[in-house]
Amino acid sequence: MHIFLIGFMGSGKSYWGQRLAESMGRRFIDLDSVIEEKQKKSIAAIFEDNGEQHFRELERQELGRLIEKPEPMVIACGGGTPCYFDNMLFMKQNGLVVWLDPTVASLEKRLKPEKDKRPLIRSVPDEQLAVFIEEKLKERIPFYSGAHLHIFDEPFTLEKILQQIKDAN
Ligand code: S3P
């Protein structure tokens, strides 16, 4: 069974995903990186050149390819992955979906210095970032909340995440 990490941009999906994979002896896959490698372009450039809809189609395509692999992996999704097509249902049918859900204040702190990499927030002024996060999160919670596990008790630790995964099995 694959483990899918979902959550808002800056929620730590790649950071915790790598640690989780290491401790479970699994392969770690970052969905955004797979897309960038295949397209030989950054996510920002894909949005700019081909538009968001095209990115969402690539995201869905790669998700489908990864899921077919028999080896159980830890997969860090993009922040929007669960919110398009039937991606969430598809992930839930093929693994354990874990929602990393830090506070808006934590997200803001982490995203502020990394806005340029992220087309959805790169033009949001710093002083409007928290409001933007709150609003976007509100739109996305109905999708994220379908996850099997909800991790929100900060600070996150590998032990806490592993324990919740163990309890779910
Ligand atoms: C997106 C999140 C990004 C990336 C793209 C769109 C989103 O991934 O997939 O910029 O819609 O929230 P991260 O959550 O890894 O930043």
Side-chain angles (χ1 to χ4, degrees):
M1 220 167 67
H2 299 305
I3 293 177
F4 298 96
L5 292 180
I6 66 161
F8 205 78
M9 293 172 265
S11 58
K13 301 177 294 282
S14 303
Y15 179 84
W16 291 111
Q18 279 177 45
R19 272 143 200 85
L20 206 54
E22 216 170 274
S23 76
M24 297 176 90
R26 290 184 179 209
R27 189 141 77 96
F28 169 71
I29 299 281
D30 183 281
L31 186 55
D32 281 341
S33 304
V34 171
I35 297 169
E36 288 181 324
E37 276 159 31
K38 287 232 171 128
Q39 301 301 310
K40 299 188 172 53
K41 261 188 196 184
S42 67
I43 301 292
I46 299 172
F47 267 67
E48 213 162 283
D49 299 347
N50 314 96
E52 179 171 355
Q53 183 57 31
H54 181 67
F55 170 75
R56 296 302 171 195
E57 280 158 20
L58 294 173
E59 189 177 40
R60 167 62 193 208
Q61 225 173 59
E62 288 310 328
L63 185 66
R65 288 206 184 113
L66 287 175
I67 281 174
E68 275 171 23
K69 303 205 168 149
E71 164 201 2
M73 300 179 291
V74 175
I75 300 168
C77 298
T81 312
C83 315
Y84 293 86
F85 309 107
D86 60 348
N87 291 350
M88 189 61 172
L89 182 67
F90 193 48
M91 292 190 279
K92 286 177 76 174
Q93 286 169 342
N94 287 281
L96 186 76
V97 181
V98 180
W99 174 23
L100 296 180
D101 183 25
T103 61
V104 170
S106 303
L107 293 171
E108 183 197 18
K109 196 168 151 202
R110 264 187 247 137
L111 288 174
K112 233 180 219 171
E114 294 184 3
K115 283 188 342 191
D116 269 0
K117 280 194 275 180
R118 294 177 162 99
L120 294 185
I121 55 169
R122 73 193 316 185
S123 58
V124 177
D126 282 357
E127 63 280 7
Q128 285 171 31
L129 189 58
V131 173
F132 176 89
I133 294 169
E134 255 166 50
E135 284 174 359
K136 197 78 186 161
L137 196 53
K138 239 184 248 164
E139 279 171 30
R140 289 182 166 183
I141 281 175
F143 299 95
Y144 293 159
S145 59
H148 296 111
L149 298 182
H150 183 196
I151 314 254
F152 57 91
D153 180 22
E154 290 181 273
F156 297 163
T157 64
L158 186 58
E159 289 66 33
K160 276 190 210 171
I161 301 172
L162 279 170
Q163 191 58 49
Q164 288 211 31
I165 291 175
K166 243 189 232 157
D167 293 347
N169 285 316

